[in-house]
Amino acid sequence: MRIAFMGTPDFAVPALRALHQAGHEIVAVYCQPARPAGRGRKIRPCAVQQAAESLNIPVYAPVKLKYQPQEFEQFSSLNLDVAVVAAYGLILPSEMLNTPRLGCLNIHASLLPRWRGASPIQSAIWAGDRQSGISIMRMDVGLDTGPVYFTQSLPITTTTTAQSLHDDLAELGGKLIVQTLDYLHSNPNLPYTPQSSEGVCYARQLVKEDGKIDWSLTAQEIDRQIRALTPWPGTYSFLWDQPLKITKATIGSSTSQSEPGTVITADLQIICGDGQTIQLLEVQLAGKKAMPVADFLRGNVINPGTILG
């Protein structure tokens, strides 16, 4: 098929590579413009642009698409069978949605209609969902409201992190979009299913403040927060009036009636609101590298009774 691929972050790269490997004619890749990144704030192309250039696919990086007739003319001139969208970051205007012969398909990282929106992977873990998955959706003008061709689920376990689920879903998205296009090639009228009006919920855009830990919550709630928000925006508390980033933790084995946030063991088990503990495994002080707790404690003495928060 003749395809335009539209995506920006790492999540979209496996799908781009899978479509290329499957032999589809990817005539254009759309992504967000290169922006400053990293500590040096150097201009850096996004992951999808880097992948597209390595595959010698033309790259387009418009700042916006709405009310941009020249962008629509460019898109229309591609004479597409289908556009595939994966975490692109720009809203496609209705005239673009209707331009490809078979429409625009979105690779969405949730089991729609649950977790429409910006942060479906993190939201599923944080909420305590037992599964997530990929939905291949035919896009309409709503926010992730279009009918769905196929879904496939993956379990969320007590050790699943946002990074591990992201990577698994990215690979699954690549496989499922290739399968979907195979079916569409054989049957352009492939049926799809409108989303249910029940179970709809939205995953909002995350902000750094979401990572602040409230130790009065239960150990399970805090554990889910840490697993959901690592690596971004990251979870943190305060130690000696400095932010202490918690990059890895698990539910501890100790219990106590001490004040939530209290360090009760030398290996940094922290009391939560239900009397259970969170065992810190890897931490990072501002300006330092993340390190295992054992290494951190070699240079920092934290006595039991210290209160975080």
Side-chain angles (χ1 to χ4, degrees):
M1 285 193 184
R2 190 173 172 87
I3 295 173
F5 185 87
M6 312 179 85
T8 296
D10 291 333
F11 175 81
V13 172
L16 173 61
R17 294 194 180 279
L19 291 167
H20 182 267
Q21 187 172 1
H24 291 284
E25 184 184 4
I26 306 173
V27 296
V29 163
Y30 281 74
C31 62
Q32 291 277 319
R35 292 191 169 95
R39 288 190 175 183
R41 306 305 292 166
K42 293 182 179 179
I43 299 296
R44 183 183 303 169
C46 68
V48 165
Q49 180 173 342
Q50 294 179 53
E53 289 174 348
S54 73
L55 298 172
N56 296 314
I57 303 171
V59 174
Y60 300 90
V63 175
K64 58 182 179 178
L65 296 174
K66 279 192 172 183
Y67 312 117
Q68 303 295 312
Q70 73 279 8
E71 297 296 347
F72 173 69
E73 291 173 9
Q74 168 65 39
F75 189 74
S76 182
S77 71
L78 296 174
N79 193 27
L80 300 171
D81 291 315
V82 67
V84 173
V85 182
Y88 177 33
L90 290 181
I91 295 175
L92 274 60
S94 58
E95 61 267 25
M96 291 184 74
L97 292 174
N98 297 323
T99 294
R101 179 174 64 90
L102 297 173
C104 298
L105 304 188
N106 180 249
I107 305 170
H108 187 74
S110 81
L111 300 173
L112 292 169
R114 186 163 177 78
W115 302 127
R116 296 172 178 171
S119 58
I121 294 173
Q122 297 93 332
S123 296
I125 297 172
W126 200 354
D129 291 4
R130 294 186 177 182
Q131 63 177 359
S132 181
I134 289 291
S135 299
I136 304 297
M137 174 190 69
R138 178 158 181 155
M139 297 174 69
D140 60 16
V141 294
L143 177 60
D144 299 329
T145 56
V148 175
Y149 280 110
F150 297 105
T151 63
Q152 189 168 334
S153 64
L154 287 176
I156 296 176
T157 72
T158 56
T159 60
T160 298
T161 65
Q163 188 65 62
S164 67
L165 185 56
H166 167 282
D167 295 348
D168 291 344
L169 290 177
E171 292 296 329
L172 178 59
K175 294 176 182 177
L176 201 56
I177 191 61
V178 169
Q179 294 174 10
T180 302
L181 293 190
D182 285 345
Y183 284 118
L184 273 173
H185 181 71
S186 301
N187 179 16
N189 296 314
L190 183 70
Y192 42 65
T193 304
Q195 292 186 39
S196 172
S197 59
E198 297 181 0
V200 174
C201 64
Y202 286 86
R204 60 177 174 80
Q205 189 77 40
L206 297 172
V207 296
K208 288 185 178 181
E209 289 73 17
D210 288 320
K212 184 177 180 181
I213 293 175
D214 177 358
W215 295 105
S216 69
L217 298 175
T218 69
Q220 281 195 346
E221 289 171 326
I222 294 171
D223 174 64
R224 293 200 304 261
Q225 179 185 9
I226 293 169
R227 289 188 290 111
L229 303 186
T230 301
W232 198 93
T235 50
Y236 64 93
S237 190
F238 287 89
L239 173 68
W240 309 315
D241 295 325
Q242 297 183 63
L244 179 71
K245 195 170 185 179
I246 298 168
T247 51
K248 191 174 182 181
T250 189
I251 294 178
S253 57
S254 301
T255 60
S256 173
Q257 298 303 311
S258 299
E259 178 183 345
T262 302
V263 178
I264 66 162
T265 63
D267 61 349
L268 298 192
Q269 291 193 49
I270 317 298
I271 284 294
C272 306
D274 59 350
Q276 303 295 311
T277 57
I278 287 290
Q279 168 73 67
L280 305 190
L281 299 175
E282 186 178 83
V283 296
Q284 180 180 7
L285 280 174
K288 306 291 185 179
K289 292 183 178 180
M291 62 182 69
V293 159
D295 294 341
F296 176 77
L297 290 173
R298 290 191 183 99
N300 299 275
V301 178
I302 304 176
N303 295 316
T306 301
I307 297 177
L308 302 185

